[in-house]
C-alpha cells in the first residue's frame, strides 16, 4: 500500500484536479492507495477571513461563504457528470449550511473560540475531499471516501492538536484491514478529540495526516505531491539557480523544512522516520520529474551542504548584564517566561562569558515577549544588574544544512567570508554540536542577496554572477554592451563568471530587468524604458540589493561622478572611465577609496588613464611591492597624439580635430582635450595613485590654444575659432619642422611638481615615434632609475576604452 498526499495548489481547480486523478488512477494499477488531500488553494485563507469578519460583527463573512460555495460547485460542474451530481451537491449544501450556522453564531456572539475556529477551518478539507472522491469514482469504480476524523484522535489543544498514536494507529489499521477499495480519499489536516470535537493538526497538517496514516499502515512509501520538483538547494522563487535535491536524509529534510522549506511540513517526518518509510516529494504538474527521495540511506556526495534555507520575519531578543555572569537559573527563568506566553524559540545563542543570551522568535511575538521578560527580571533591571530586554525586528535566519558538514573543515569560514564580501552583516550565529546546521541571523532586506551569494558559493561550481548597472550607453557604452554579448558564453564556460546587465541608462531613458536585459535588442528595449532619473536609478539599485553588484559609469558627467559614494556605501562596486571623481578634490578622492575598503566594494578606474592600457594597475603593483615613484613623463592623450600626428601642411588643424571627434577619440566637448584639462586630470590621478597629495590647481597647464579659442562656450564657436587662428597652429607646425622635432602634448611630474603642455620632441626621444592615437608612460622609480618602466599602446577610441572597462569588471569577478 502507498499513501499519496496532494496539496492545495494540486487541487486548486478542476483542471489541476484532473491531473491528480490521472496520477492516482495510474498508481492504483500497481498497488492500493490512500489519497490525502488539502483544501482547494486559497479556501483555508477564506475561512480564516470569514471567521475573523464574523467575530468582529462584519457581515462581509456572508459574501466570503458565497465565494467558497461557488468555488466548490464550479469544480463539481466541471468534474462530475450531471447525472451523478445530485447526492454530492446535497452533501456540499449541508456542509455550507453548517458553516453558515457557525459563522452566524460567531457574528451574534462577537467572538471566536479556538474550538469553533477548528470546526470552521475543517470545512476546507471536508469539501475538497468529498468532491475529489466522487470525481475519482468516475475513473476507479471501487474508490471510496473516509473521513479522517473517524480514525485520527487527538487531545483538545485546538489549532495544533496532539495525536494519540496508540488509539489512532489501531483505528487506522482496523479500518483498512477490511477495506477493499483500490483508492481511499481522505481529508488532511483534521481530526477529532477524545470527546468528539473537531480539531486541526496545524497549518500544513495535511502532510502530517498522510504521514500518520503511512506509519500506521507501514506502507512502502509516502508521496507528497506539490507544485515544485521536490526539495531544492534553496528557495527557487528567490534563487533562480536552485536545483532539486535528488536524495536527502530524514534529519537533513527536518532541518530544511524547519528552516522554511515550504514543500514539507516539519512534523511530517517524525511518524515515518520511526518506521523507516521513504518520503518521495513529487510535482503534480511535472509527474515525470524525479523529485526528492527522503530516506535513511543517502549516498554521501562531494558537497557536504544539502541545502540553504531561511526563516523570515524574525526578531532577536537579547538579555544581558553583569548580573547574569555565574548566576545559575537565568536561562531557565527566561525560557519559562516564554513558555508561559506560548512563544516558540527558533534560535538560541549565548556568549561563553554568560553575559548575554540571544534568542530568535517570530516578529509577531516580539512585543509580548519583551514585556514578559522585563516583568520577570524587573528586580534585576531596577538594580542595574541586567539591562532591559533589547528587541531587534525585521531579521531573518539563514541556515546551511548538511549531514556531512561535520566531516569538512572551513565551512563556517566560507559562509562568513562569502556573506562578508557582499556586506551582509551577521547579527548572531548558532551551530549545534552535530554540525548539521550553521545558522546566522541577518537583516531581512539582505536575505535575497545572502541566499544567492551562498548558493553561488556552495552549489554553482564556483560560478560567480556579476550584476551590472550601466550608466551611459553612447559611443563607448555601445561597444561595451557588444563586448559583453560577444564574450558572455566564453566567460561563463572558461572563467566561471556569469555576467548579467540588470540596468542601462542614457540621458533620456533607463531600463531595469532583474532577470537580465536581453543583449540582442537592448537598444529597442531601452527606448521603451522609463524616463531617466539618477535618483530613481540609485534607489532601484538599492532596492534590488543584488549580490556582486557593479555600477558602471561610461559618462563624462560630473553629476554622475558625485554619486559614487552612494553606491560604495551599499556594497556596490564602481567601475568608471569618468575621470571627474578621481581628479576632484583630494578629500573626495580619498573618501571614495576609504569607502571602497570599508564596504568591501571595489572602486576601479583603469580607463581614467590610457583607455585600455594597464597603466594604473601596473602602478598599483609597483606601490604594493614597496617601490616608490619619483618621476613620471607621459603622453596621456590619445586624441591629442592623433591630432598632432595627422596635422600637416595639407591637412589643417581644424579638420584634424573634426576627424578626431568623428572617430570618437575626443570628448564630446573637444576643448576638454585641447585645453589640456583632460591630460591634467590624468597625470593628477597617476600622482595620487603614486601616493602623493596633489590638487588639480597645483598642476601647471601650459595651454597652446589662443585665448579666444579657450573662451568659447560651445562647439560651433570653438571650431570657428580654430579656423580664425589657423596661422597660430601652422606656426607651431613650422617651428617643429625647423627644430627637426614633433609636436607632443606631454605631462610631467618630478620633485613634487607637475605640468602639462605642448612640447617639441627631438628625434632621440622615445616620444618622437609615437604613432596614431598611442599613449606612452615612463615611470622612474627607486628600482627603475636609469631605464624607466615604459607602458605604450593605444590610448583612445571607443573599442579600447570599452575593453578597459570590461577588464575592470572581469577583475572584480576574479576577486
Amino acid at each position: 500500500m502507498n499513501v499519496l498526499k496532494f496539496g492545495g495548489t494540486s487541487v486548486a481547480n478542476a483542471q489541476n484536479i484532473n491531473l491528480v486523478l490521472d496520477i492516482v488512477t495510474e498508481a492504483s494499477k500497481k498497488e492500493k492507495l490512500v489519497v490525502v488531500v488539502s483544501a482547494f488553494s486559497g479556501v483555508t485563507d477564506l475561512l480564516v477571513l470569514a471567521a475573523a469578519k464574523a467575530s468582529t460583527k462584519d457581515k462581509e463573512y456572508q459574501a466570503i461563504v458565497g465565494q467558497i460555495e461557488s468555488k466548490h460547485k464550479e469544480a463539481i460542474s466541471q468534474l462530475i457528470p450531471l447525472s451523478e451530481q445530485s447526492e454530492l451537491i446535497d452533501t456540499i449544501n449541508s456542509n455550507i449550511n453548517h458553516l453558515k450556522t457557525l459563522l452566524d453564531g460567531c457574528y451574534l456572539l462577537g467572538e471566536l473560540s479556538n474550538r469553533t475556529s477548528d470546526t470552521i477551518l475543517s470545512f476546507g478539507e471536508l469539501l475538497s475531499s468529498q468532491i475529489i472522491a466522487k470525481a475519482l469514482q468516475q475513473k476507479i469504480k471501487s474508490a471510496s471516501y473516509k473521513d479522517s476524523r473517524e480514525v485520527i484522535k487527538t487531545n483538545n489543544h485546538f489549532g495544533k492538536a496532539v495525536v494519540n498514536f496508540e488509539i489512532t494507529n489501531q483505528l487506522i489499521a482496523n479500518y483498512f484491514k477490511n477495506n477493499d477499495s483500490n483508492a481511499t480519499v481522505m481529508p488532511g489536516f483534521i481530526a477529532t478529540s477524545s470527546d468528539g470535537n473537531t480539531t486541526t493538526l496545524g497549518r500544513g497538517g495535511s502532510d502530517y495526516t498522510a504521514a500518520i496514516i503511512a506509519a500506521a499502515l507501514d506502507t512502502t512509501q509516502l508521496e507528497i505531491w506539490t507544485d515544485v520538483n521536490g526539495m531544492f538547494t534553496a528557495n527557487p522563487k528567490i534563487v533562480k539557480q536552485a536545483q532539486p535535491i535528488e536524495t536527502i536524509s530524514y534529519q537533513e529534510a527536518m532541518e530544511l523544512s524547519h528552516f522554511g522549506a515550504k514543500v514539507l511540513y516539519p512534523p511530517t517526518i517524525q511518524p515515518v522516520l520511526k518506521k523507516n518509510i521513504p518520503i518521495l516529494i513529487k510535482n503534480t504538474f511535472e509527474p515525470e520529474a524525479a523529485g526528492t527521495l527522503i530516506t535513511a540511506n543517502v549516498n554521501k556526495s562531494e558537497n557536504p551542504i544539502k541545502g540553504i534555507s531561511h526563516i523570515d520575519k524574525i526578531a532577536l531578543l537579547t538579555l544581558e548584564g553583569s548580573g547574569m555572569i555565574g548566576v545559575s537559573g537565568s536561562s531557565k527563568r527566561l525560557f519559562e517566561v516564554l513558555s508561559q506566553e506560548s512563544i516558540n524559540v527558533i534560535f538560541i545563542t549565548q556568549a561563553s562569558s554568560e553575559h548575554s543570551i540571544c534568542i530568535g522568535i517570530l516578529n509577531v511575538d516580539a512585543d509580548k515577549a519583551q514585556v514578559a521578560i522585563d516583568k520577570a527580571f524587573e528586580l534585576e533591571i531596577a538594580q542595574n544588574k541586567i539591562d532591559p530586554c533589547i528587541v531587534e525586528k525585521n531579521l531573518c535566519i539563514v541556515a546551511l544544512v548538511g549531514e556531512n558538514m561535520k566531516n569538512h573543515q572551513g565551512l563556517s569560514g566560507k559562509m562568513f567570508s562569502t556573506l562578508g564580501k557582499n556586506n551582509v552583516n551577521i547579527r548572531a550565529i548558532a551551530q549545534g554540536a552535530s554540525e548539521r546546521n550553521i545558522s546566522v541571523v541577518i537583516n531581512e532586506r539582505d536575505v535575497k542577496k545572502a541566499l544567492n551569494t551562498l548558493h553561488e558559493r556552495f552549489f554553482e561550481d564556483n560560478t560567480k554572477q556579476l550584476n551590472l548597472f550601466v550608466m551611459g550607453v553612447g559611443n563607448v557604452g555601445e561597444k561595451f554592451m557588444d563586448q559583453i554579448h560577444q564574450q558572455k558564453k566564453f566567460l561563463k564556460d572558461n572563467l566561471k563568471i556569469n555576467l548579467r546587465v540588470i540596468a542601462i541608462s542614457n540621458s533620456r531613458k533607463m531600463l531595469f530587468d532583474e532577470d537580465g536585459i536581453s543583449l540582442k535588442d537592448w537598444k529597442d528595449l531601452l527606448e521603451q524604458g522609463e524616463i531617466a532619473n539618477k535618483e530613481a536609478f540609485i534607489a532601484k539599485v538599492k532596492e534590488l540589493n543584488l549580490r556582486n553588484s557593479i555600477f558602471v559609469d561610461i559618462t563624462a558627467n560630473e553629476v554622475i561622478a558625485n554619486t559614487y559614494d552612494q553606491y560604495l556605501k551599499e556594497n556596490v562596486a564602481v567601475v568608471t572611465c569618468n575621470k571627474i571623481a578621481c581628479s576632484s578634490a583630494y578629500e573626495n578622492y580619498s573618501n571614495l577609496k576609504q569607502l571602497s575598503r570599508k564596504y568591501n566594494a571595489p572602486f576601479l578606474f583603469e580607463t581614467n588613464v590610457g583607455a585600455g592600457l594597464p597603466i594604473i594597475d601596473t602602478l598599483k603593483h609597483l606601490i604594493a611591492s614597496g617601490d616608490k615613484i619619483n618621476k613620471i613623463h607621459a603622453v596621456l592623450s590619445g586624441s591629442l597624439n592623433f591630432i598632432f600626428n595627422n596635422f600637416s601642411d595639407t591637412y589643417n588643424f581644424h579638420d584634424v580635430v573634426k576627424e578626431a571627434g568623428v572617430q570618437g577619440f575626443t570628448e564630446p566637448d573637444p576643448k576638454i582635450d585641447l585645453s589640456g584639462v583632460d591630460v591634467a586630470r590624468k597625470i593628477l590621478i597617476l600622482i595620487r595613485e603614486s601616493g602623493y597629495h596633489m590638487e588639480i590647481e597645483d598642476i601647471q597647464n601650459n595651454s597652446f590654444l589662443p585665448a579666444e579659442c579657450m573662451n568659447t562656450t560651445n562647439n560651433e564657436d570653438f571650431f570657428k575659432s580654430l579656423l580664425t587662428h589657423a596661422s597660430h597652429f601652422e606656426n607651431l607646425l613650422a617651428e617643429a619642422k625647423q627644430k627637426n622635432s614633433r609636436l607632443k602634448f606631454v605631462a610631467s611630474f618630478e620633485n613634487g611638481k607637475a605640468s602639462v603642455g605642448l612640447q617639441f620632441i627631438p628625434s632621440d626621444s622615445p616620444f618622437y615615434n609615437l604613432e596614431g592615437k598611442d599613449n606612452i608612460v615612463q615611470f622612474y622609480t627607486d628600482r627603475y632609475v636609469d631605464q624607466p618602466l615604459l607602458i605604450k599602446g593605444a590610448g583612445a577610441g571607443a573599442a579600447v576604452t570599452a575593453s578597459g572597462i570590461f577588464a575592470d569588471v572581469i577583475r572584480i569577478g576574479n576577486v
Side-chain angles (χ1 to χ4, degrees):
M1 182 174 275
N2 200 356
V3 177
L4 282 65
K5 178 265 174 179
F6 293 90
T9 51
S10 298
V11 295
N13 50 48
Q15 181 182 355
N16 292 3
I17 292 170
N18 276 321
L19 296 176
V20 170
L21 298 178
D22 290 341
I23 292 167
V24 172
T25 302
E26 191 61 32
S28 68
K29 296 174 183 177
K30 302 172 186 174
E31 58 187 334
K32 286 187 174 184
L33 305 176
V34 179
V35 181
V36 177
V37 296
S38 297
F40 289 178
S41 181
V43 169
T44 302
D45 289 335
L46 288 174
L47 289 167
V48 170
L49 182 60
K53 295 283 187 183
S55 65
T56 55
K57 299 284 188 176
D58 186 341
K59 286 191 175 182
E60 191 182 341
Y61 77 89
Q62 296 170 343
I64 296 171
V65 174
Q67 290 180 48
I68 295 170
E69 182 176 5
S70 297
K71 188 179 184 74
H72 289 89
K73 287 187 175 177
E74 182 182 353
I76 292 172
S77 68
Q78 295 175 12
L79 291 168
I80 315 295
L82 188 60
S83 59
E84 302 283 329
Q85 290 180 14
S86 178
E87 184 181 350
L88 178 60
I89 288 176
D90 286 344
T91 302
I92 298 303
N93 285 337
S94 175
N95 283 323
I96 293 294
N97 288 334
H98 187 187
L99 173 61
K100 287 177 180 176
T101 301
L102 288 169
L103 291 170
D104 288 343
C106 292
Y107 178 81
L108 291 171
L109 293 171
E111 66 177 20
L112 176 66
S113 68
N114 291 335
R115 172 178 162 181
T116 303
S117 176
D118 269 14
T119 305
I120 290 171
L121 295 185
S122 71
F123 284 97
E125 273 69 16
L126 287 172
L127 292 168
S128 70
S129 59
Q130 290 172 107
I131 293 171
I132 292 168
K134 187 67 174 179
L136 185 60
Q137 286 169 359
Q138 310 308 308
K139 292 177 175 288
I140 305 173
K141 296 303 179 185
S142 66
S144 62
Y145 173 78
K146 180 64 175 175
D147 190 336
S148 303
R149 294 178 297 180
E150 297 174 10
V151 293
I152 299 179
K153 300 300 176 181
T154 69
N155 64 5
N156 275 318
H157 190 251
F158 299 104
K160 195 174 182 180
V162 177
V163 176
N164 184 327
F165 280 98
E166 184 177 350
I167 297 173
T168 297
N169 291 343
Q170 189 62 51
L171 288 171
I172 292 171
N174 289 342
Y175 174 77
F176 282 98
K177 183 165 55 175
N178 302 312
N179 180 19
D180 295 328
S181 175
N182 278 9
T184 303
V185 177
M186 299 178 69
F189 180 55
I190 60 176
T192 52
S193 62
S194 55
D195 53 0
N197 291 310
T198 296
T199 58
T200 61
L201 303 177
R203 293 298 290 266
S206 291
D207 285 356
Y208 194 27
T209 301
I212 292 166
I213 295 167
L217 298 175
D218 204 7
T219 60
T220 53
Q221 189 166 267
L222 166 61
E223 295 180 14
I224 306 290
W225 289 79
T226 180
D227 57 358
V228 292
N229 293 333
M231 298 187 84
F232 277 69
T233 49
N235 186 337
K237 293 179 181 177
I238 298 176
V239 181
K240 302 295 184 186
Q241 288 76 28
Q243 310 146 14
I245 302 170
E246 186 178 341
T247 59
I248 189 171
S249 72
Y250 292 117
Q251 289 77 15
E252 289 169 328
M254 278 194 285
E255 292 279 2
L256 283 175
S257 59
H258 172 70
F259 277 90
K262 300 291 190 292
V263 296
L264 189 67
Y265 183 55
T268 299
I269 299 171
Q270 202 58 47
V272 294
L273 172 60
K274 295 177 180 177
K275 295 288 188 75
N276 203 19
I277 298 171
I279 304 173
L280 181 62
I281 301 175
K282 296 275 285 180
N283 189 345
T284 304
F285 309 100
E286 289 184 45
E288 69 282 355
T292 298
L293 181 65
I294 304 172
T295 180
N297 302 313
V298 178
N299 293 328
K300 290 186 178 180
S301 61
E302 291 183 9
N303 190 349
I305 309 295
K306 269 295 169 70
I308 306 165
S309 202
H310 75 288
I311 308 176
D312 54 14
K313 296 180 175 57
I314 293 295
L316 197 64
L317 274 61
T318 304
L319 188 66
E320 64 181 13
S322 58
M324 295 174 62
I325 300 174
V327 178
S328 60
S330 297
S331 300
K332 176 177 179 288
R333 288 172 63 194
L334 173 62
F335 294 119
E336 276 183 348
V337 169
L338 297 172
S339 176
Q340 288 164 6
E341 296 293 331
S342 299
I343 295 172
N344 184 38
V345 176
I346 302 168
F347 176 101
I348 305 167
T349 184
Q350 180 174 11
S352 59
S353 65
E354 301 180 31
H355 183 263
S356 68
I357 302 174
C358 284
I359 56 170
I361 62 174
L362 294 176
N363 270 341
V364 293
D365 293 328
D367 293 337
K368 180 169 66 171
Q370 183 181 27
V371 171
I373 292 170
D374 284 347
K375 185 176 181 181
F377 289 89
E378 60 183 344
L379 179 61
E380 290 87 346
I381 293 171
Q383 295 173 344
N384 294 319
K385 292 181 178 180
I386 293 178
D387 297 331
C389 179
I390 301 168
V391 177
E392 297 172 81
K393 295 183 180 179
N394 302 317
L395 302 174
C396 173
I397 298 174
V398 173
L400 290 186
V401 173
E403 186 71 33
N404 298 319
M405 285 165 53
K406 57 191 172 189
N407 299 320
H408 289 74
Q409 288 74 38
L411 290 177
S412 299
K414 288 178 183 177
M415 181 184 191
F416 302 148
S417 64
T418 300
L419 294 174
K421 284 178 182 177
N422 276 273
N423 206 38
V424 176
N425 187 36
I426 297 173
R427 302 291 302 111
I429 302 164
Q431 180 175 5
S434 67
E435 298 185 46
R436 193 180 289 130
N437 176 317
I438 305 172
S439 300
V440 296
V441 178
I442 63 172
N443 194 302
E444 202 166 63
R445 72 180 293 271
D446 289 327
V447 66
K448 183 174 183 180
K449 182 195 285 189
L451 291 175
N452 278 278
T453 300
L454 292 171
H455 194 273
E456 184 177 82
R457 177 67 183 84
F458 290 106
F459 289 101
E460 296 175 37
D461 195 24
N462 287 326
T463 297
K464 190 171 188 177
Q465 181 171 291
L466 303 181
N467 296 300
L468 307 186
F469 300 83
V470 183
M471 181 74 74
V473 283
N475 192 18
V476 176
E478 182 176 345
K479 297 290 184 186
F480 176 67
M481 297 290 284
D482 290 344
Q483 289 174 11
I484 293 175
H485 190 202
Q486 177 187 329
Q487 288 296 103
K488 188 173 171 67
K489 186 176 186 303
F490 173 86
L491 292 172
K492 192 167 186 178
D493 293 344
N494 295 277
L495 298 184
K496 302 299 182 186
I497 294 174
N498 180 25
L499 279 182
R500 292 195 317 172
V501 178
I502 304 299
I504 50 178
S505 178
N506 56 25
S507 59
R508 298 178 296 104
K509 297 278 190 176
M510 65 182 190
L511 174 70
F512 279 81
D513 187 337
E514 190 176 349
D515 295 326
I517 295 168
S518 168
L519 299 180
K520 290 189 296 184
D521 50 0
W522 64 267
K523 290 183 183 178
D524 294 334
L525 293 171
L526 180 58
E527 286 304 311
Q528 300 165 29
E530 56 188 299
I531 296 171
N533 180 296
K534 72 175 179 63
E535 286 80 14
F537 192 95
I538 294 170
K540 187 67 175 178
V541 174
K542 291 180 180 178
E543 178 191 333
L544 289 174
N545 195 26
L546 299 176
R547 70 196 187 281
N548 306 325
S549 292
I550 305 174
F551 173 65
V552 183
D553 180 14
I554 316 180
T555 73
N557 190 304
E558 183 175 2
V559 174
I560 302 302
N562 289 335
T563 65
Y564 295 170
D565 60 332
Q566 297 184 57
Y567 291 104
L568 294 172
K569 287 175 182 176
E570 295 295 323
N571 185 237
V572 176
V574 174
V575 169
T576 180
C577 62
N578 186 343
K579 293 175 279 291
I580 294 174
C582 288
S583 60
S584 62
Y586 185 86
E587 182 181 1
N588 183 53
Y589 159 82
S590 178
N591 180 52
L592 292 176
K593 303 277 278 189
Q594 289 174 13
L595 289 174
S596 172
R597 289 189 291 270
K598 180 178 179 180
Y599 293 99
N600 198 30
F603 175 41
L604 301 182
F605 42 90
E606 184 65 71
T607 48
N608 278 198
V609 182
L613 291 177
I615 297 172
I616 293 176
D617 194 50
T618 302
L619 177 56
K620 285 180 177 178
H621 287 309
L622 287 174
I623 300 300
S625 68
D627 206 352
K628 181 183 178 184
I629 308 300
N630 299 313
K631 185 165 60 173
I632 303 172
H633 285 310
V635 173
L636 293 173
S637 175
S639 53
L640 285 175
N641 201 44
F642 173 87
I643 289 167
F644 286 113
N645 278 338
N646 288 279
F647 177 35
S648 66
D649 294 332
T650 57
Y651 201 13
N652 69 47
F653 193 76
H654 167 276
D655 292 346
V656 176
V657 175
K658 277 277 191 182
E659 180 62 23
V662 169
Q663 294 197 29
F665 297 152
T666 65
E667 299 287 348
D669 177 2
K671 191 166 63 176
I672 293 175
D673 294 282
L674 273 70
S675 67
V677 170
D678 189 60
V679 174
R681 287 172 175 165
K682 291 178 178 179
I683 191 66
L684 177 63
I685 292 168
L686 292 182
I687 292 167
R688 287 175 170 177
E689 289 295 295
S690 298
Y692 296 94
H693 185 153
M694 186 174 283
E695 301 288 356
I696 191 77
E697 297 82 11
D698 299 329
I699 299 175
Q700 183 180 344
N701 187 346
N702 303 311
S703 176
F704 67 90
L705 288 177
E708 185 185 337
C709 298
M710 289 291 293
N711 293 331
T712 57
T713 56
N714 57 65
N715 283 0
E716 184 180 353
D717 289 344
F718 177 71
F719 280 108
K720 285 180 182 177
S721 74
L722 295 184
L723 289 172
T724 302
H725 293 276
S727 60
H728 168 75
F729 302 111
E730 290 165 1
N731 290 337
L732 288 172
L733 180 62
E735 185 178 353
K737 286 183 177 179
Q738 183 182 353
K739 293 179 177 179
N740 194 28
S741 300
R742 288 185 173 178
L743 292 169
K744 303 291 178 185
F745 199 88
V746 179
S748 298
F749 169 72
E750 188 173 1
N751 297 324
K753 295 183 178 180
S755 65
V756 298
L758 194 64
Q759 294 184 15
F760 298 100
I761 302 299
S763 58
D764 60 349
S765 169
F767 292 4
Y768 184 85
N769 291 313
L770 198 62
E771 300 296 333
K773 57 184 182 296
D774 284 0
N775 280 189
I776 187 170
V777 180
Q778 292 178 321
F779 289 119
Y780 291 84
T781 76
D782 284 353
R783 295 171 188 159
Y784 294 90
V785 181
D786 299 322
Q787 292 295 324
L789 175 63
L790 188 147
I791 303 169
K792 178 182 175 183
V800 292
T801 303
S803 69
I805 296 167
F806 202 163
D808 272 349
V809 169
I810 301 308
R811 198 171 281 123
I812 292 173
N814 287 326
V815 172

